[in-house]
Amino acid sequence: MNENILGIVAGILTSVSMIPQLVKVLKEKNAEDLSWTMILVLISGLSLWVWYGFLKNELPIILSNAFAVIVNVILLICCMIYKKKS
Amino acid sequence: MNENILGIVAGILTSVSMIPQLVKVLKEKNAEDLSWTMILVLISGLSLWVWYGFLKNELPIILSNAFAVIVNVILLICCMIYKKKS
């Protein structure tokens, strides 16, 4: 199997699995279950993966981790907005 | 920076960020917030990443995704045990 196709399918699956969490937080306007610290640790890790992908020149790694960074930055912003209110 | 060290640091950060979720579920014996479907999608995606890592012969990708598979299999088992009870 072509490695790039495999990586893209893997990336789509792991990306899709993050959507419900994001939708739930946006819909319920509640970020109680989320931890700032963990989101920050995760964003750092994912950003390093993007960097790793650039060094290795591997598009599937760059794309799926960049997507995950975006999702988690939105979650972090939700945390800041909704936790302040409560 | 050495790519492997970068990948290992990235893997440690993304792995660490999963632990609190696991600890919370094990401690509270409550898997209400977890979705079977999403965990299954995630396990499929992570397993493909492990496969991708083997094809590309990249240890950081294999190790961090294999760890994530284990965490999510435990979460899936918790889902099966705790949701049946409630």
Side-chain angles (χ1 to χ4, degrees):
Chain A
M1 192 179 190
N2 182 299
E3 292 158 359
N4 279 329
I5 296 176
L6 179 63
I8 289 167
V9 174
I12 290 174
L13 289 176
T14 47
S15 300
V16 161
S17 71
M18 285 184 291
I19 304 291
Q21 166 86 82
L22 182 64
V23 171
K24 192 180 174 228
V25 169
L26 290 175
K27 223 171 170 182
E28 302 181 356
K29 299 190 190 307
N30 181 354
E32 279 301 301
D33 295 339
L34 300 176
S35 145
W36 292 65
T37 328
M38 280 310 125
I39 294 180
L40 284 172
V41 171
L42 190 54
I43 290 173
S44 319
L46 293 167
S47 309
L48 292 185
W49 277 122
V50 176
W51 184 10
Y52 178 93
F54 274 109
L55 287 182
K56 291 264 184 180
N57 208 8
E58 290 179 40
L59 203 61
I61 295 185
I62 298 171
L63 291 181
S64 57
N65 287 291
F67 177 81
V69 168
I70 294 170
V71 170
N72 282 284
V73 166
I74 299 176
L75 286 176
L76 188 67
I77 295 171
C78 289
C79 262
M80 299 192 318
I81 298 175
Y82 301 143
K83 285 205 176 169
K84 213 180 271 174
K85 282 185 185 167
S86 62
Chain B
M1 192 179 190
N2 183 297
E3 293 158 0
N4 279 328
I5 296 176
L6 177 63
I8 288 166
V9 174
I12 291 174
L13 290 176
T14 47
S15 299
V16 161
S17 70
M18 286 184 290
I19 304 290
Q21 166 86 84
L22 182 63
V23 171
K24 191 179 176 229
V25 169
L26 290 174
K27 223 172 171 180
E28 301 181 356
K29 297 190 192 304
N30 181 355
E32 279 301 300
D33 295 339
L34 301 176
S35 145
W36 293 64
T37 328
M38 280 311 124
I39 294 180
L40 283 173
V41 171
L42 190 54
I43 290 173
S44 319
L46 294 167
S47 308
L48 292 185
W49 277 121
V50 175
W51 185 10
Y52 177 94
F54 274 110
L55 288 182
K56 291 265 186 180
N57 209 7
E58 292 178 39
L59 203 61
I61 294 184
I62 299 170
L63 291 181
S64 56
N65 287 291
F67 177 81
V69 168
I70 294 169
V71 170
N72 281 285
V73 166
I74 299 175
L75 287 176
L76 188 68
I77 295 171
C78 289
C79 262
M80 299 193 317
I81 298 174
Y82 302 143
K83 285 204 176 169
K84 212 180 276 177
K85 281 185 186 168
S86 61

